[in-house]
Amino acid sequence: MNHRGIRSRTRRVALQALYQWQMTGHSAEELHAQFSENPPPGGFDPVFFDALVGGVIIDFETLDAEIAAFADRPVAQLDPVERAILRMGAHELRSMVDVPWRTVIDEAVELARTFGAEQSHKYVNGVLDRVARRLRPEQGL
């Protein structure tokens, strides 16, 4: 599988881990151990997984502030799946500048289509588009 396919699968696994973290409060280390012991079919990139999950857990308050600037309700009131997707997308936009902003948003929208509520992909797209404009103005958004 190509690099993008592995990263897409890793984002799916990271979303599951972040959802679990939001519900249980498990540490990044506990989540790493759990998902490494039971990897998804086809595997995933544990380094990218750790960067996503660990980055969101360490910096979720800052990420929530970025999201809150463009959300229509408090971040704590967002659907847990949407909240995890938005946090992960905002983290990638903020901290992983080697990943193109369009890729970040496209991947987040796809996760929302797959795992979110019926119209959540539109909401995720709108919020992350505005976050990207704020965090990456040099990229001509």
Side-chain angles (χ1 to χ4, degrees):
M1 177 167 279
N2 65 24
H3 182 70
R4 182 178 169 133
I6 291 170
R7 282 201 157 195
S8 293
R9 188 167 43 245
T10 302
R11 284 183 184 95
R12 289 174 76 112
V13 177
L15 172 60
Q16 293 170 347
L18 289 169
Y19 180 86
Q20 183 175 328
W21 165 72
Q22 291 175 160
M23 298 296 135
T24 66
H26 288 154
S27 70
E29 294 78 18
E30 290 171 309
L31 294 166
H32 174 88
Q34 177 186 339
F35 284 90
S36 293
E37 289 169 11
N38 301 298
F44 71 109
D45 178 345
V47 174
F48 187 52
F49 174 88
D50 288 344
L52 290 171
V53 174
V56 168
I57 290 173
I58 289 168
D59 213 18
F60 78 92
E61 291 170 336
T62 302
L63 299 171
D64 285 0
E66 293 287 354
I67 295 163
F70 304 109
D72 62 352
R73 56 194 173 275
V75 174
Q77 292 179 12
L78 293 172
D79 172 82
V81 172
E82 288 177 8
R83 186 169 56 236
I85 293 169
L86 288 169
R87 284 173 167 168
M88 189 166 56
H91 172 65
E92 279 195 82
L93 289 168
R94 189 169 184 269
S95 302
M96 299 181 176
V97 294
D98 60 311
V99 180
W101 65 269
R102 191 175 308 275
T103 299
V104 173
I105 293 173
D106 288 350
E107 291 280 328
V109 166
E110 191 55 39
L111 288 170
R113 278 193 179 154
T114 303
F115 299 107
E118 188 173 328
Q119 297 296 315
S120 67
H121 67 282
K122 293 178 183 177
Y123 186 73
V124 165
N125 185 58
V127 172
L128 286 181
D129 181 66
R130 288 182 292 231
V131 170
R133 289 174 193 277
R134 181 151 118 187
L135 292 177
R136 296 195 184 176
E138 74 285 356
Q139 294 185 356
L141 300 172

